[in-house]
Every structure is written in C-alpha cells, then in structure tokens.
Amino acid sequence: MAPPSRWNFPASTISPTDPMPYRERFERLSTEELLGYLRLDLASDAKPVLLRVLAARGVSSATIELVLASEAARQEEECHQQKRMASQGARLLAFAIDFGLATLAFGALMALLKPVMDATAEPFASGIWWAYMMLRDAVPGGSAGKRLMKMRVVRIPGERRMTLGASFFRNLTHFFFMIDALFILGERRMRLGDRLAGTIVLRRDAVGASIPPAACPPAQQNP
C-alpha cells in the first residue's frame, strides 16, 4: 500500500501548529489512505487520533497490527539490504581499477600490434578497450576491479546473473560520468546505469556484520 499523497507535504510534518485539526484532516481520507498513514512517522500526538478514527470506521486491531508488523518487516529488510550494498567509495575505486587496467592493456596492445598492423592497430585496440569497459560486468566472477574490491553486480529482482545486454546498458551512462556517479549517493546507491539496466552492486561477503546471503537460487548468483 502506497503512502497517501493527498497533500503536497509529508505526513511526518503534521504537527499541532497545522491549521486543520488532526481528526478533521484524517476524516477526509479514505480508510485505505489512513492505513497508509500508519506506515509513516507521524507526530506523536497524531497517531492516537489516527487510531481512534480507524476504530470508529470499524477497522479491527488485528488489521492495524498487521499493517504495523508488515511495515516493521519492510524496514528491517531495507536495513538488511543497505548493509549488503557496496559502499560508494569502493565502487568508485573499482571503476578506477578497471579503467586503469583497460588503459594499460590498450597501451600494451598498441605496442605489440603497431609494427604489424600499422593503421588498424589503434582501432583494434580501442575496440578491445571499449568491449571490456562496456561488457565487464557480465564477465564470470565480475570485472577485475569488482573482484579486487569484493563486490558483485546483480540484476533485480531476484539477484540474477548479469548478461551482456544488462552490462552494456549499465555502463552506457559512463558517457555522463559526473552526473551518473552522483546518483550512487542516493539511498539505494543506484546510479543512472543501475536504474537503466535494473541492477544493484552488493558486497560479496559481510564478515562481522551477521548478514546472511541473499535468498536466491545458487544458479542465479555470479560465481
């Protein structure tokens, strides 16, 4: 159930200074919207009024407890997932490692191929560089940078194995690197490429954090 959106301000801002009393405000909403408000962080004196309005409409305490329990479970799962997410710093460092290694490989290829391929050496080496940078997340086990930083990229929902297509679309947004990178500062740490490809970046382990592995079939996990 989505949180109510009848007003332009969040429910958590409701306070005794609002011109409209709590009861009058709540009574204008549908029962479904009121149950949505139960999931939000209301002002301390607004919650009892909300519960009284729900009771007056015949909503059972069991229903209210079920909504509250499901919201608590959602928040716990969200917290659990946040702990499993790779940090922003580690992700940027992994990208720098991949970029650096690909550039070194480009230089080495140029040195080897230039004497024998001449004019075609640079396009060939450039093609190898771009292929790695665009498709590296589909490499079994992950790219070199992500291996070193102990991270893995998976598709959501279900934490499925990366494909060549998903890796291509995920890395396509590197053309707008500065804007793209800013998005990993968000709560879900999903840059534009992650949103486009439907991917997230997880830590490979969670040593000392008591975080169990994701509940998904082993065949869908990156090796």
Side-chain angles (χ1 to χ4, degrees):
M1 185 184 302
S5 57
R6 188 151 180 159
W7 293 291
N8 292 327
F9 50 83
S12 58
T13 63
I14 296 178
S15 69
T17 60
D18 288 326
M20 189 182 297
Y22 295 142
R23 190 172 195 88
E24 183 180 348
R25 189 185 301 276
F26 290 142
E27 285 177 345
R28 293 188 175 193
L29 299 174
S30 68
T31 300
E32 183 178 358
E33 288 175 313
L34 291 177
L35 290 173
Y37 265 88
L38 270 179
R39 301 176 181 272
L40 302 179
D41 184 21
L42 295 171
S44 58
D45 50 346
K47 196 76 168 277
V49 179
L50 173 59
L51 294 174
R52 286 196 292 270
V53 173
L54 285 170
R57 295 189 184 186
V59 178
S60 67
S61 58
T63 298
I64 292 173
E65 289 173 3
L66 181 63
V67 172
L68 293 174
S70 67
E71 176 60 16
R74 186 196 67 80
Q75 291 182 4
E76 183 178 356
E77 174 61 24
E78 188 173 297
C79 180
H80 165 78
Q81 190 72 349
Q82 283 294 312
K83 290 179 180 178
R84 297 181 64 232
M85 301 286 280
S87 70
Q88 295 94 332
R91 290 179 59 175
L92 289 172
L93 185 54
F95 173 79
I97 292 171
D98 284 332
F99 184 88
L101 290 177
T103 302
L104 286 174
F106 171 82
L109 273 176
M110 284 293 294
L112 290 172
L113 299 177
K114 189 68 173 175
V116 293
M117 297 180 65
D118 195 20
T120 58
E122 185 170 350
F124 180 81
S126 296
I128 298 294
W129 188 93
W130 279 108
Y132 176 75
M133 291 302 295
M134 298 300 289
L135 306 177
R136 68 190 189 280
D137 292 322
V139 174
S143 69
K146 288 185 176 64
R147 277 176 174 267
L148 288 172
M149 299 308 298
K150 299 183 178 179
M151 301 182 299
R152 60 190 177 100
V153 185
V154 294
R155 292 183 293 149
I156 52 176
E159 297 186 13
R160 295 167 291 158
R161 184 190 299 274
M162 288 293 291
T163 63
L164 291 173
S167 179
F168 176 83
F169 284 111
R170 182 177 188 274
N171 294 310
L172 191 62
T173 54
H174 282 324
F175 287 104
F176 314 98
F177 180 79
M178 294 305 296
I179 297 174
D180 188 29
L182 288 175
F183 278 78
I184 67 172
L185 300 177
E187 185 178 350
R188 297 195 69 191
R189 305 176 196 174
M190 294 176 70
R191 60 179 181 81
L192 285 176
D194 289 316
R195 295 169 190 270
L196 182 63
T199 58
I200 55 175
V201 184
L202 301 175
R203 297 162 54 195
R204 283 188 177 274
D205 53 47
V207 178
S210 302
I211 302 172
C216 62
Q220 293 184 343
Q221 300 237 15
N222 279 346

